[in-house]
Amino acid sequence: MSSKQWRNIFITFLIQFFIFKPLLWISRVVVSYTTRNQQKRTERRYLSILDSTEDHQTWSSTALSLDLLRGFKKWHCTIPTSSYCNPAALIYETNVAIELARIGNVRAIGEFLRTMLHRRVNGVASPLLFRYYTGTKDFVENYNIAIHDLIEVFSGRREEMTPLGSSTSTANSDTKSEFVEDLLLWAKNTAGTQEAQMTPREKQELLCDTAHSFGVTALMLSGGASLGMYHIGVVRALFEAGLLPRIISGSSAGSIIAAVICTRTDADLSTMLVGNGLSLGEIHLNAFEVNDSPEESIGKKFDRLLASGAFMDVETLMLCLQRNCGDLTFLEAYRMTGRILNVSVANNRPGDHIDKHMLLNYITASNVVIWSAVAASCAMPGLFTAVQLLEKNGSEIVPYLPGQLWFDGSVARDLPREELSTTFNVNYFLVSQTNPHVIPFLRKPPSPIVHKKRSGIFKRCWFAVCSEARHWLLKSYRVGLLPKSGGAEVPYLMATQCYSGDITILPIGSVWSAIPDFINLTSNPSEEHMAYVISNAQRRTWPHINQIRWITCVERALLREYEHLSFAV
């Protein structure tokens, strides 16, 4: 090659390396930057809609668009390798369910359900499986759908399984169960024989055993004075989604909402929970003042405080509750609605803190009048005087445990987890937390939702200080520096409680946004305030609906088919 050709090649190389290559790199950077900015703007627009809409259908469609923008489709089909769940075992059990349904051996299906169904089997309830608002992993959805359909095949309501996605691939030998393989072999050998059949009574008994082993979900509504009205939005969101648990517990203000819900049938709730939720025409919420009477002066309230030790009139509270619930007892409400109401109360006897708490329901206090139990649960020391419980004796209403007075159940046990587990086999807890003395110190549960903002340095330092202070407070009680009775009893009871659940809903949001609510803790809510409260609480409940729906899918199928078989027995 001549020197001229070499010179042309060199010039071409310089032009390409110093001009074209930088221009190409700059164009790629500009395109990447504009794409990211466009995505961020779209995300902000979607988030703005999620934070402002009052329509669940609009919220759901916007959440789906946001999830797709954030990569849900790829994540949905990816099988994780982490230890928080066992995808291979879930896929294997999904395939077994499909095979058993194809074989049609009812007794083998029953044995599979009774033996293999558990609430947290192979990590199927792990929060990390619900990183998006509108779905979960493909193999988790397939597992729940397959088990749901298998239960319906077992009861006779369904003949064929729903076609599933692509994650039902053949499992490797390490995930296979010897019991299940033997069960499949027996199912094939006995299919079509009399041995493979079961009577409706046998099916119902087996579903009862399976449901007992699987466990039950309960909704627990915390205390919170007038902040308890936020519970209405939580209840409404769950009821509209068909996910409101049968077992509902309430403490203090939460017991008012729990009592209102558990003393009304589904038809009544459908009528009541419309528009902006409970209206003052449907339900009476004037627990602090009688709306049609002149407001009491501060001087009169302080006179009452000095005379009786209570700032507010407990008779007004009782009248409000009686107008809401009538004279229904716990047992009557259960028979009327099928819902199980639980109300936390505490006795005012001095002594061991262990005997303070009692959970009232149709088993422990079947004839106790609901409005008296709720009044006792709301009787916060200093705000209302302690209350005598009442019960029905025939047509008469008489004192229950005469001479024993009861007060705010939130003080001793805001969320009665142990009692619900023991009495009703509850092993999954939905909590709506509105307690004003808890929210500032309650660290929000770590959210698995992608692109969730991390807490700032101030919040992390604040919760670290709170955790350390609680540690030293409890240590002071353990070594005897502080007594567990008397004036130091209430701090001990509050410090030893757990104020969260498997899913904790914080309908109030941030403390700063709720400052006006904190100021009006002992005021009756207005129509406008109720609309605002319910709207906010619903929006903070909707992000949890997807997780609740999938985690309770099998439980709801078991209960529904048990009731379906009860008509055939």
Side-chain angles (χ1 to χ4, degrees), residues 22-203:
L23 287 176
L24 180 62
W25 180 82
I26 291 171
S27 66
R28 288 175 178 173
V29 169
V30 170
V31 170
S32 175
Y33 176 78
T34 54
T35 302
R36 286 198 306 270
N37 268 4
Q38 180 63 35
Q39 181 172 340
K40 288 180 180 178
R41 284 195 297 270
T42 306
E43 279 190 19
R44 285 196 294 268
R45 187 171 69 253
Y46 286 151
L47 290 171
S48 176
I49 296 173
L50 295 182
D51 290 338
S52 60
T53 185
E54 297 185 6
D55 178 59
H56 185 222
Q57 192 170 7
T58 302
W59 190 95
S60 298
S61 60
T62 305
L64 177 60
S65 299
L66 179 61
D67 284 348
L68 294 175
L69 182 68
R70 289 175 166 179
F72 168 72
K73 189 172 290 186
K74 180 181 178 181
W75 177 87
H76 173 71
C77 300
T78 304
I79 295 180
T81 57
S82 304
S83 59
Y84 61 83
C85 70
N86 189 345
L90 291 175
I91 293 172
Y92 171 67
E93 292 182 17
T94 301
N95 292 330
V96 170
I98 295 172
E99 180 66 13
L100 285 172
R102 186 190 65 79
I103 295 171
N105 190 319
V106 175
R107 193 171 294 277
I109 293 174
E111 289 303 316
F112 175 79
L113 294 175
R114 178 160 51 189
T115 306
M116 304 302 291
L117 283 196
H118 303 284
R119 169 77 70 180
R120 294 174 171 82
V121 62
N122 296 313
V124 71
S126 171
L128 294 175
L129 291 172
F130 302 92
R131 301 199 66 206
Y132 291 83
Y133 292 118
T134 55
T136 180
K137 290 288 188 180
D138 188 38
F139 65 89
V140 175
E141 292 182 359
N142 287 340
Y143 171 80
N144 279 287
I145 293 171
I147 299 299
H148 172 277
D149 289 356
L150 188 66
I151 294 170
E152 292 190 346
V153 169
F154 175 76
S155 70
R157 186 192 292 265
R158 176 188 291 267
E159 294 183 359
E160 296 181 355
M161 302 281 280
T162 302
L164 301 179
S166 59
S167 72
T168 55
S169 56
T170 304
N172 59 55
S173 58
D174 294 338
T175 62
K176 292 184 179 181
S177 164
E178 184 177 347
F179 165 78
V180 173
E181 292 298 317
D182 291 343
L183 182 65
L184 281 172
L185 181 61
W186 180 85
K188 293 175 183 177
N189 293 335
T190 59
T193 66
Q194 189 65 29
E195 188 180 2
Q197 304 305 313
M198 296 179 71
T199 66
R201 170 69 69 181
E202 290 175 327
K203 290 181 179 181

Side-chain angles (χ1 to χ4, degrees), residues 320-531:
C320 166
L321 298 173
Q322 192 171 15
R323 293 173 70 186
N324 286 325
C325 306
D327 290 330
L328 286 174
T329 66
F330 283 94
L331 183 59
E332 290 171 344
Y334 170 66
R335 287 174 175 170
M336 182 176 73
T337 68
R339 294 189 181 86
I340 301 174
L341 171 64
N342 298 267
V343 175
S344 288
V345 295
N347 65 66
N348 67 345
R349 287 197 313 266
D352 194 348
H353 63 277
I354 296 176
D355 298 328
K356 282 285 182 188
H357 177 259
M358 183 174 181
L359 186 66
L360 306 177
N361 50 57
Y362 83 95
I363 293 178
T364 62
S366 57
N367 293 322
V368 169
V369 179
I370 290 175
W371 68 259
S372 72
V374 176
S377 187
C378 293
M380 178 181 175
L383 189 62
F384 294 107
T385 55
V387 173
Q388 168 71 63
L389 293 177
L390 303 175
E391 66 173 339
K392 272 189 182 178
N393 185 8
S395 59
E396 295 183 352
I397 295 180
V398 298
Y400 176 76
L401 300 177
Q404 175 62 63
L405 299 181
W406 303 83
F407 67 94
D408 191 352
S410 179
V411 173
R413 200 70 55 85
D414 189 45
L415 306 175
R417 299 170 63 110
E418 293 81 4
E419 290 81 357
L420 290 175
S421 297
T422 303
T423 311
F424 299 111
N425 194 40
V426 177
N427 62 357
Y428 202 82
F429 298 93
L430 311 180
V431 172
S432 177
Q433 183 56 258
T434 62
N435 254 319
H437 65 277
V438 171
I439 292 174
F441 308 101
L442 182 66
R443 184 194 295 269
K444 289 185 179 180
S447 174
I449 299 294
V450 295
H451 301 288
K452 204 75 174 179
K453 289 183 179 179
R454 295 183 62 188
S455 299
I457 186 67
F458 175 77
K459 280 188 177 180
R460 280 180 275 176
C461 291
W462 168 254
F463 289 123
V465 169
C466 292
S467 177
E468 193 68 14
R470 179 177 179 272
H471 168 75
W472 285 104
L473 178 63
L474 292 176
K475 181 169 284 191
S476 300
Y477 281 109
R478 281 196 294 268
V479 300
L481 293 178
L482 293 174
K484 296 180 182 179
S485 59
E489 181 181 28
V490 171
Y492 176 77
L493 292 172
M494 293 171 60
T496 53
Q497 293 189 58
C498 175
Y499 290 99
S500 58
D502 293 289
I503 294 179
T504 303
I505 303 169
L506 300 175
I508 292 178
S510 67
V511 176
W512 302 111
S513 64
I515 287 178
D517 297 317
F518 280 75
I519 295 173
N520 298 306
L521 278 176
T522 58
S523 300
N524 293 335
S526 63
E527 290 269 10
E528 295 77 13
H529 182 66
M530 288 290 294

